[in-house]
């Protein structure tokens, strides 16, 4: 906790220096020198607002650390997904280090990561709908149950799920899955690592991408949320893992959590860049196997820091 307190104290100290600049800039100075100071004061005000926002984030993260250490035992995730098969799906903009860290935690939990899928920006580009819509229709197989009111991207999620996952843990990559995977990769909509794999997963972890600068409107993620819903409907469960930025305005987790239908079936973790958050991804996957979903983390996470089943109960 020392690091967080150090940052908070340091930022508070900055307030005094910035405050002095604001006061001087607001004084009765005229002419060129006054304009220079006024411009600097405007910059100082913006820096002050940024510093305040950073303090809010640091306090939230500090509280998350304290709560997690108090309620969840370190290392509890080890062995929780033994013999489970999990697919990792990285959304556009997902950081490689974050994907690798989640991959490592899944392996510590005993899970077998069957494939890592990278969703290319082309798949979610509105300008590519003329490609995506007919391809989705073409790749639907007879064993995919398509809801009558489904969107293009819900169906795309169902198709991708058919290629990499199944609700039955004994399913392997069959001819239909190969056809789907080949169609998606040849159209440059997704890439697989490894390019060829034998087993289909039952569970899926979706790694959210870093929000663009400036952040887009939350509504711009509607297709991505639909895709994730389709992945959930075609598998044994989905957890979306992201960083704090993804849970704020302009982030994928923010959009997901704003969709009441999605949150009924899809889980999310907004601190997956922290070791504790990566363990929570595992716990959320375990919860998904029971048919339950929850939103966990430190930022507008309505279900708390982790699933109730792994928290120490109060005496």
């Amino acid at each position: 906790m020392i690091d967080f307190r150090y940052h908070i104290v340091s930022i508070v100290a900055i307030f005094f220096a910035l405050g002095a600049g604001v006061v001087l800039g607001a004084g009765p100075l005229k002419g060129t020198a006054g304009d220079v100071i006024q411009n600097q004061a405007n910059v100082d005000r913006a820096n002050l607002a940024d510093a305040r926002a950073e303090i809010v984030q640091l306090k939230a993260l500090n509280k998350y650390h304290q709560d997690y250490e108090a309620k969840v035992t370190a290392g509890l995730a080890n062995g929780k997904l033994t013999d489970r098969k999990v697919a990792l799906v990285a959304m556009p903009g997902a950081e490689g280090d974050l994907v690798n860290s989640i991959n490592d935690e899944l392996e510590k939990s005993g899970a077998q990561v069957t494939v890592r899928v990278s969703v290319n920006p082309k798949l979610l580009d509105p300008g590519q709908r003329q490609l995506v819509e007919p391809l989705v229709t073409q790749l639907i197989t007879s064993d995919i149950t398509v809801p009558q009111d489904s969107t293009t991207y819900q169906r795309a999620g169902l198709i991708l799920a058919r290629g990499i996952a199944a609700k039955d843990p004994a399913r392997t990559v069959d001819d239909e899955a190969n056809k789907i995977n080949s169609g998606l990769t040849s159209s440059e909509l997704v890439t697989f690592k490894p390019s060829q794999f034998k087993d289909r997963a039952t569970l899926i972890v979706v790694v959210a991408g870093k929000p663009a600068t400036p952040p887009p409107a939350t509504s711009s993620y509607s297709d991505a949320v639909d895709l994730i819903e389709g992945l959930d409907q075609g598998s044994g469960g989905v957890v979306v893992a992201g960083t704090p930025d993804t849970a704020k305005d302009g982030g994928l987790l923010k959009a997901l959590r704003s969709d009441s239908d999605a949150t009924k079936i899809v889980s999310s973790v907004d601190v997956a860049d922290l070791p504790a958050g990566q363990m929570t991804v595992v716990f959320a996957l375990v919860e998904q196997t029971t048919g339950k979903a929850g939103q966990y983390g430190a930022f507008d996470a309505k279900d708390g820091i982790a699933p109730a089943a792994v928290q120490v109960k109060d005496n």
Side-chain angles (χ1 to χ4, degrees):
M1 300 307 105
I2 293 175
D3 290 341
F4 284 108
R5 290 173 183 168
Y6 172 81
H7 286 303
I8 292 173
V9 170
S10 298
I11 294 172
V12 170
I14 292 171
F15 283 171
F16 292 99
L18 292 176
V22 171
V23 171
L24 286 173
L29 296 174
K30 298 180 180 179
T32 303
D35 292 339
V36 171
I37 294 177
Q38 183 61 53
N39 289 337
Q40 182 59 49
N42 292 337
V43 172
D44 289 344
R45 289 190 185 96
N47 289 339
L48 190 61
D50 290 342
R52 288 192 180 114
E54 186 173 352
I55 282 183
V56 171
Q57 177 168 317
L58 287 171
K59 284 182 177 178
L61 286 172
N62 189 39
K63 183 178 185 303
Y64 176 80
H65 276 278
Q66 292 173 336
D67 289 347
Y68 206 100
E69 290 179 357
K71 297 180 180 179
V72 182
T73 303
L76 190 62
N78 292 353
K80 289 296 183 181
L81 291 173
T82 299
D83 297 329
R84 295 279 186 177
K85 296 181 177 68
V86 182
L88 260 176
V89 177
M91 298 297 282
E95 297 180 346
D97 288 345
L98 178 60
V99 178
N100 290 337
S101 295
I102 294 172
N103 189 112
D104 292 345
E105 187 62 37
L106 289 171
E107 291 181 347
K108 289 178 186 177
S109 75
Q112 175 193 344
V113 178
T114 56
V115 64
R116 287 169 56 155
V117 184
S118 294
V119 175
N120 299 330
K122 184 177 180 181
L123 175 58
L124 298 168
D125 182 352
Q128 297 295 326
R129 277 184 176 272
Q130 290 183 333
L131 166 66
V132 174
E133 289 179 350
L135 182 64
V136 165
T137 300
Q138 176 186 341
L139 293 178
I140 289 176
T141 59
S142 59
D143 58 350
I144 295 178
T145 301
V146 180
Q148 191 171 9
D149 59 349
S150 63
T151 68
T152 295
Y153 284 94
Q154 286 173 332
R155 294 192 293 273
L158 282 166
I159 289 168
L160 178 55
R162 177 61 178 82
I164 66 173
K167 295 184 179 182
D168 182 349
R171 298 290 183 180
T172 58
V173 178
D174 56 10
D175 290 340
E176 295 284 10
N178 278 324
K179 176 185 175 183
I180 289 170
N181 295 341
S182 177
L184 293 173
T185 54
S186 63
S187 300
E188 299 181 338
L189 300 181
V190 303
T191 55
F192 296 122
K193 184 178 180 181
S195 57
Q196 299 291 328
F197 52 98
K198 182 183 72 172
D199 294 317
R200 286 154 66 189
T202 53
L203 299 170
I204 299 174
V205 175
V206 175
V207 184
K210 185 177 181 179
T213 304
T218 298
S219 59
S220 67
Y221 285 108
S222 60
D223 289 342
V225 172
D226 285 350
L227 180 75
I228 292 167
E229 284 187 272
L231 287 172
D232 186 276
Q233 292 162 356
S235 68
V238 170
V239 174
V240 183
T243 59
D245 285 346
T246 67
K248 300 175 184 178
D249 289 340
L252 175 58
L253 261 65
K254 177 72 172 182
L256 174 73
R257 291 172 173 180
S258 300
D259 187 320
S260 59
D261 290 331
T263 54
K264 290 175 184 176
I265 59 174
V266 177
S267 299
S268 67
V269 178
D270 62 36
V271 283
D273 52 336
L274 300 176
Q278 291 151 23
M279 285 193 291
T280 303
V281 171
V282 173
F283 300 142
L285 283 172
V286 173
E287 185 180 55
Q288 279 280 324
T289 65
T290 70
K292 297 179 181 179
Q295 316 309 314
Y296 306 110
F299 301 92
D300 295 325
K302 68 172 186 173
D303 297 304
I305 60 173
V310 298
Q311 294 186 28
V312 176
K313 304 296 186 295
D314 294 333
N315 293 328

